[in-house]
């Protein structure tokens, strides 16, 4: 009888042996925690499709940020829900806008926490699209939008944002934002570009949380077709040429092949956004008793890191921080 010479099970026998040969270690330092900041006072509205996630007024957002910092999470990502929306998305670049005010408050309270601000118009436009819409045709106008995005980014940097993160998918926006930041004196503010952002159904719960669902049409004329991977590499190439400091793939779980390919194509830091629908899936299944939440979350996030992302944006960040410290 011939026995196997190589026995892979030898190094799987005990926890210390498994630890010794482990290739990927998820750590709290990898995580970015998204927070939805709402106008108003003492607001703490639960988001139905994202159990455990809330729309928070600035005072509560500051507390949430403080807790994230205490847990060792290095960064938060801010999304704003303004009181008023209009066709020109004025709330996005208002120096006293919701994200600008929240950024100042969080940087005052927890100066060492990295504050990343979402640069997009969809939360601020009355129609919910990520850019200026031409009335007659319904087209989302690229170049007009660039100016507003650049103003938004500069006003966020002015408020103290450590990183600005454009998620709109207009062409040329990284260059437009870079040039505006530089001319306003913010040459040290990095841009984390949502380079490969897909037109995904997994953003559904976010649109409830951010009240940003488009009133007509969809986002397929600017976000990427889920069927394409080479195109993601072109998007990354362009963003790098335009001055991106960090590139991102979004969503994460259905696009791990893209994460891997981008990792191999660039040496810039790579972020992956594990989006609202990924959070909702695991939450719903575990609330039904169909999945063990803790092990499912840690497995999913470890997979994202293994695929090549060193920055992981996840609504599970505080929970993960607690699990990892136990
Ligand atoms: C804004 C934006 C979206 C997300 C992040 N920034 C929504 C969208 O493009 O419709 C989705 C994040 C998530 O689902 O967690 N453009």
């Amino acid at each position: 009888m011939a026995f196997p010479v190589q026995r892979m099970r030898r190094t799987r026998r005990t926890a210390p042996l498994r630890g010794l040969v482990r290739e990927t270690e998820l750590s709290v330092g990898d995580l970015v925690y998204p927070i939805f900041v709402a106008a108003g006072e003492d607001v703490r509205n639960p988001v139905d499709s994202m159990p455990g996630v809330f729309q928070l007024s600035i005072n509560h957002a500051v507390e949430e940020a403080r807790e994230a910092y205490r847990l060792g999470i290095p960064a938060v990502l801010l999304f704003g829900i303004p009181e008023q929306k209009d066709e020109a998305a004025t709330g996005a670049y208002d120096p006293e806008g919701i994200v600008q005010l929240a950024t100042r408050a969080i940087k005052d309270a927890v100066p060492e926490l990295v504050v990343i601000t979402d640069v997009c118009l969809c939360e601020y436009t009355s129609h919910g699209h990520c850019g200026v819409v031409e009335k007659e045709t319904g087209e989302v106008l690229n170049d007009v939008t660039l100016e507003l995005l650049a103003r938004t980014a500069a006003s966020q940097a002015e408020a103290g944002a450590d990183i600005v993160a454009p998620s709109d998918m207009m062409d040329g926006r990284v260059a437009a934002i870079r040039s505006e930041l530089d001319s306003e004196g913010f040459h040290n503010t990095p841009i984390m570009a949502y380079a490969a952002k897909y037109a995904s159904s997994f953003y559904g719960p976010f649109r409830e949380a951010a009240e940003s669902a488009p009133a007509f049409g969809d986002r397929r004329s600017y976000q990427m077709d889920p069927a394409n991977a080479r195109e993601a590499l072109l998007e990354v190439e362009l963003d790098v040429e335009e001055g991106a400091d960090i590139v991102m793939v979004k969503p994460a779980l259905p696009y791990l092949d893209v994460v891997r390919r981008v990792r191999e194509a660039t040496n810039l830091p790579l972020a992956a956004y594990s989006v609202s629908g990924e959070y909702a899936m695991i939450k719903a299944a575990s609330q039904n008793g169909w999945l063990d939440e803790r092990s499912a979350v840690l497995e999913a996030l470890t997979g994202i890191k293994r695929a090549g992302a060193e920055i992981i944006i996840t609504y599970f960040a505080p929970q993960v921080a607690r699990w990892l410290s136990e």
Side-chain angles (χ1 to χ4, degrees), residues 226-243:
N228 296 352
R230 288 194 304 267
E231 187 185 334
L233 301 182
L234 286 173
E235 284 281 7
V236 167
E237 225 173 89
L238 287 168
D239 284 2
V240 173
E241 275 169 25
E242 291 179 29

Side-chain angles (χ1 to χ4, degrees), residues 34 36 50 77 79 118-123 128-130 165-169 194 197-207 210 212-214 219 222-223 250-251 273-279 313 315:
F36 298 102
M50 301 177 74
L77 171 59
F79 293 97
D118 180 66
V119 181
C120 195
L121 305 186
C122 63
E123 297 124 66
H129 277 289
C130 301
S167 68
D168 53 283
M169 290 301 275
Y194 288 65
K197 177 174 177 181
Y198 287 88
S200 172
S201 55
F202 290 95
Y203 305 151
F206 174 95
R207 292 179 189 169
S212 66
R219 303 207 202 288
Y222 40 105
Q223 299 180 346
K250 171 184 179 189
Y273 196 144
S274 187
V275 300
S276 55
E278 300 174 44
Y279 177 87
I313 303 171
Y315 304 95

